[in-house]
Amino acid sequence: MGVRRTAKGVGDFLSGTVGDAVAEVILSLLACGLLAGLALIGYLNWHSSPRLTIAGVGLLSLFLAHGAWQTFRTPAKGRRRGLAVLTTAGFTLIAMTAVFLLLYATGCGCL
């Protein structure tokens, strides 16, 4: 009875450990692919038009700054509408992507 329970416990531990390792590899590969894709987009945009790339980055920065401001300020009426919802969602998505890349892309050899 004790041997079977021990063997089952060891098997559960090994399957959990292997599953965690596989998930870590998949997330790292996904992060490296995302980082490479973002770098390629930046390179291709800069190669086609540096002025337009700088203008686009400026507009994106304003968009994200407005989203951060809407996210971290205390709302007067407790309601967000229109542009505020869009910029808050964009800021949240970009922030989550940045945290994901910070956690998983630091281990890839492309940096």
Side-chain angles (χ1 to χ4, degrees), residues 7-90:
K8 185 176 188 295
V10 169
D12 289 342
F13 172 75
L14 286 177
S15 66
T17 304
V18 169
D20 287 345
V22 168
E24 187 77 24
V25 168
I26 290 172
L27 287 174
S28 294
L29 288 174
L30 182 66
C32 286
L34 179 63
L35 188 63
L38 290 172
L40 180 65
I41 288 171
Y43 172 75
L44 292 176
N45 282 335
W46 184 263
H47 184 67
S48 67
S49 174
R51 289 181 183 166
L52 191 59
T53 302
I54 291 174
V57 168
L59 286 174
L60 182 65
S61 297
L62 286 175
F63 177 81
L64 293 176
H66 185 266
W69 180 64
Q70 288 292 326
T71 300
F72 294 117
R73 76 178 187 113
T74 55
K77 296 180 183 178
R79 300 171 77 178
R80 293 183 178 155
R81 295 186 185 181
L83 182 64
V85 172
L86 184 65
T87 58
T88 301

